[in-house]
mmCIF file of all heavy atoms in Angstrom:
data_model
loop_
_atom_site.group_PDB
_atom_site.id
_atom_site.type_symbol
_atom_site.label_atom_id
_atom_site.label_comp_id
_atom_site.label_asym_id
_atom_site.label_seq_id
_atom_site.Cartn_x
_atom_site.Cartn_y
_atom_site.Cartn_z
ATOM 1 N N SER E 502 -11.391 -16.780 5.498
ATOM 2 C CA SER E 502 -10.139 -16.130 5.107
ATOM 3 C C SER E 502 -9.135 -16.154 6.250
ATOM 4 O O SER E 502 -7.939 -16.406 6.041
ATOM 5 C CB SER E 502 -10.389 -14.687 4.660
ATOM 6 O OG SER E 502 -11.112 -14.645 3.451
ATOM 7 N N ASP E 503 -9.611 -15.883 7.459
ATOM 8 C CA ASP E 503 -8.727 -15.927 8.622
ATOM 9 C C ASP E 503 -8.180 -17.336 8.842
ATOM 10 O O ASP E 503 -7.011 -17.514 9.181
ATOM 11 C CB ASP E 503 -9.467 -15.448 9.871
ATOM 12 C CG ASP E 503 -9.733 -13.953 9.858
ATOM 13 O OD1 ASP E 503 -9.083 -13.250 9.060
ATOM 14 O OD2 ASP E 503 -10.592 -13.492 10.633
ATOM 15 N N ALA E 504 -9.029 -18.335 8.647
ATOM 16 C CA ALA E 504 -8.591 -19.715 8.829
ATOM 17 C C ALA E 504 -7.514 -20.084 7.811
ATOM 18 O O ALA E 504 -6.509 -20.715 8.152
ATOM 19 C CB ALA E 504 -9.777 -20.668 8.705
ATOM 20 N N PHE E 505 -7.706 -19.674 6.564
ATOM 21 C CA PHE E 505 -6.715 -19.983 5.534
ATOM 22 C C PHE E 505 -5.432 -19.185 5.751
ATOM 23 O O PHE E 505 -4.332 -19.683 5.479
ATOM 24 C CB PHE E 505 -7.281 -19.711 4.145
ATOM 25 C CG PHE E 505 -8.070 -20.864 3.592
ATOM 26 C CD1 PHE E 505 -9.439 -20.945 3.811
ATOM 27 C CD2 PHE E 505 -7.457 -21.869 2.874
ATOM 28 C CE1 PHE E 505 -10.180 -22.007 3.322
ATOM 29 C CE2 PHE E 505 -8.179 -22.939 2.379
ATOM 30 C CZ PHE E 505 -9.547 -23.014 2.599
ATOM 31 N N ALA E 506 -5.547 -17.962 6.241
ATOM 32 C CA ALA E 506 -4.351 -17.167 6.519
ATOM 33 C C ALA E 506 -3.527 -17.803 7.632
ATOM 34 O O ALA E 506 -2.291 -17.738 7.629
ATOM 35 C CB ALA E 506 -4.738 -15.735 6.892
ATOM 36 N N ASP E 507 -4.203 -18.442 8.575
ATOM 37 C CA ASP E 507 -3.520 -19.097 9.698
ATOM 38 C C ASP E 507 -2.990 -20.481 9.308
ATOM 39 O O ASP E 507 -2.088 -21.020 9.948
ATOM 40 C CB ASP E 507 -4.492 -19.246 10.874
ATOM 41 C CG ASP E 507 -3.836 -19.843 12.094
ATOM 42 O OD1 ASP E 507 -2.981 -19.174 12.699
ATOM 43 O OD2 ASP E 507 -4.159 -20.995 12.440
ATOM 44 N N HIS E 508 -3.551 -21.073 8.239
ATOM 45 C CA HIS E 508 -3.110 -22.376 7.713
ATOM 46 C C HIS E 508 -3.175 -23.491 8.750
ATOM 47 O O HIS E 508 -2.384 -24.428 8.702
ATOM 48 C CB HIS E 508 -1.688 -22.278 7.157
ATOM 49 C CG HIS E 508 -1.565 -21.285 6.053
ATOM 50 N ND1 HIS E 508 -2.172 -21.451 4.829
ATOM 51 C CD2 HIS E 508 -0.928 -20.085 5.998
ATOM 52 C CE1 HIS E 508 -1.902 -20.400 4.064
ATOM 53 N NE2 HIS E 508 -1.163 -19.563 4.742
ATOM 54 N N GLY E 509 -4.110 -23.356 9.686
ATOM 55 C CA GLY E 509 -4.305 -24.438 10.642
ATOM 56 C C GLY E 509 -3.314 -24.476 11.787
ATOM 57 O O GLY E 509 -3.368 -25.379 12.622
ATOM 58 N N ARG E 510 -2.413 -23.507 11.857
ATOM 59 C CA ARG E 510 -1.404 -23.525 12.923
ATOM 60 C C ARG E 510 -2.045 -23.393 14.294
ATOM 61 O O ARG E 510 -1.602 -24.016 15.256
ATOM 62 C CB ARG E 510 -0.375 -22.405 12.687
ATOM 63 C CG ARG E 510 0.577 -22.687 11.528
ATOM 64 C CD ARG E 510 1.663 -21.630 11.464
ATOM 65 N NE ARG E 510 1.129 -20.344 11.063
ATOM 66 C CZ ARG E 510 1.092 -19.910 9.812
ATOM 67 N NH1 ARG E 510 1.539 -20.674 8.836
ATOM 68 N NH2 ARG E 510 0.614 -18.721 9.505
ATOM 69 N N SER E 511 -3.082 -22.566 14.406
ATOM 70 C CA SER E 511 -3.744 -22.404 15.697
ATOM 71 C C SER E 511 -5.244 -22.668 15.589
ATOM 72 O O SER E 511 -5.971 -22.455 16.551
ATOM 73 C CB SER E 511 -3.505 -20.978 16.228
ATOM 74 O OG SER E 511 -4.020 -20.006 15.334
ATOM 75 N N GLY E 512 -5.689 -23.133 14.432
ATOM 76 C CA GLY E 512 -7.115 -23.363 14.230
ATOM 77 C C GLY E 512 -7.407 -24.772 13.775
ATOM 78 O O GLY E 512 -6.671 -25.709 14.085
ATOM 79 N N LEU E 514 -8.174 -25.682 10.402
ATOM 80 C CA LEU E 514 -8.068 -25.890 8.965
ATOM 81 C C LEU E 514 -7.172 -27.085 8.667
ATOM 82 O O LEU E 514 -6.103 -27.237 9.258
ATOM 83 C CB LEU E 514 -7.504 -24.648 8.284
ATOM 84 C CG LEU E 514 -7.459 -24.709 6.754
ATOM 85 C CD1 LEU E 514 -8.854 -24.545 6.175
ATOM 86 C CD2 LEU E 514 -6.528 -23.642 6.196
ATOM 87 N N GLU E 515 -7.614 -27.939 7.747
ATOM 88 C CA GLU E 515 -6.826 -29.104 7.349
ATOM 89 C C GLU E 515 -6.914 -29.252 5.836
ATOM 90 O O GLU E 515 -7.996 -29.243 5.254
ATOM 91 C CB GLU E 515 -7.374 -30.366 8.020
ATOM 92 C CG GLU E 515 -6.567 -31.620 7.711
ATOM 93 C CD GLU E 515 -7.134 -32.854 8.365
ATOM 94 O OE1 GLU E 515 -8.268 -32.767 8.908
ATOM 95 O OE2 GLU E 515 -6.481 -33.905 8.334
ATOM 96 N N ARG E 516 -5.757 -29.357 5.190
ATOM 97 C CA ARG E 516 -5.709 -29.536 3.744
ATOM 98 C C ARG E 516 -4.701 -30.621 3.401
ATOM 99 O O ARG E 516 -3.591 -30.629 3.915
ATOM 100 C CB ARG E 516 -5.309 -28.246 3.038
ATOM 101 C CG ARG E 516 -6.374 -27.170 3.028
ATOM 102 C CD ARG E 516 -5.942 -25.958 2.241
ATOM 103 N NE ARG E 516 -4.863 -25.238 2.900
ATOM 104 C CZ ARG E 516 -4.217 -24.215 2.340
ATOM 105 N NH1 ARG E 516 -4.511 -23.843 1.108
ATOM 106 N NH2 ARG E 516 -3.273 -23.591 2.997
ATOM 107 N N LEU E 584 -0.122 -28.690 3.899
ATOM 108 C CA LEU E 584 0.459 -27.353 3.858
ATOM 109 C C LEU E 584 0.458 -26.678 5.218
ATOM 110 O O LEU E 584 -0.558 -26.664 5.905
ATOM 111 C CB LEU E 584 -0.312 -26.478 2.868
ATOM 112 C CG LEU E 584 -0.351 -26.961 1.418
ATOM 113 C CD1 LEU E 584 -1.184 -26.011 0.577
ATOM 114 C CD2 LEU E 584 1.044 -27.097 0.855
ATOM 115 N N GLU E 585 1.609 -26.132 5.573
ATOM 116 C CA GLU E 585 1.690 -25.276 6.755
ATOM 117 C C GLU E 585 1.596 -23.816 6.346
ATOM 118 O O GLU E 585 1.285 -22.945 7.141
ATOM 119 C CB GLU E 585 2.998 -25.545 7.509
ATOM 120 C CG GLU E 585 3.069 -24.871 8.865
ATOM 121 C CD GLU E 585 4.286 -25.279 9.661
ATOM 122 O OE1 GLU E 585 4.567 -26.493 9.742
ATOM 123 O OE2 GLU E 585 4.963 -24.383 10.194
ATOM 124 N N THR E 586 1.890 -23.549 5.076
ATOM 125 C CA THR E 586 1.683 -22.233 4.471
ATOM 126 C C THR E 586 0.994 -22.476 3.138
ATOM 127 O O THR E 586 0.922 -23.612 2.670
ATOM 128 C CB THR E 586 3.022 -21.501 4.242
ATOM 129 O OG1 THR E 586 3.854 -22.311 3.402
ATOM 130 C CG2 THR E 586 3.731 -21.230 5.552
ATOM 131 N N GLY E 587 0.506 -21.436 2.518
ATOM 132 C CA GLY E 587 -0.208 -21.620 1.258
ATOM 133 C C GLY E 587 0.251 -20.661 0.191
ATOM 134 O O GLY E 587 -0.452 -19.715 -0.149
ATOM 135 N N ARG E 588 1.433 -20.871 -0.340
ATOM 136 C CA ARG E 588 1.988 -19.990 -1.367
ATOM 137 C C ARG E 588 1.613 -20.473 -2.766
ATOM 138 O O ARG E 588 1.321 -21.653 -2.963
ATOM 139 C CB ARG E 588 3.513 -19.922 -1.253
ATOM 140 C CG ARG E 588 4.025 -19.595 0.133
ATOM 141 C CD ARG E 588 3.464 -18.296 0.666
ATOM 142 N NE ARG E 588 3.995 -18.004 1.994
ATOM 143 C CZ ARG E 588 3.511 -17.058 2.795
ATOM 144 N NH1 ARG E 588 2.477 -16.330 2.405
ATOM 145 N NH2 ARG E 588 4.045 -16.846 3.980
ATOM 146 N N GLN E 591 3.070 -23.788 -4.376
ATOM 147 C CA GLN E 591 3.979 -24.247 -3.320
ATOM 148 C C GLN E 591 4.363 -25.721 -3.453
ATOM 149 O O GLN E 591 5.549 -26.051 -3.432
ATOM 150 C CB GLN E 591 3.353 -24.003 -1.947
ATOM 151 C CG GLN E 591 4.229 -24.495 -0.788
ATOM 152 C CD GLN E 591 3.664 -24.127 0.568
ATOM 153 O OE1 GLN E 591 3.211 -23.007 0.757
ATOM 154 N NE2 GLN E 591 3.690 -25.054 1.512
#
Side-chain angles (χ1 to χ4, degrees):
S502 292
D503 289 343
F505 275 91
D507 183 68
H508 300 293
R510 287 187 291 267
S511 60
L514 185 74
E515 183 181 10
R516 288 184 291 173
L584 300 178
E585 189 173 313
T586 58
R588 308 304 181 192
Q591 178 174 317

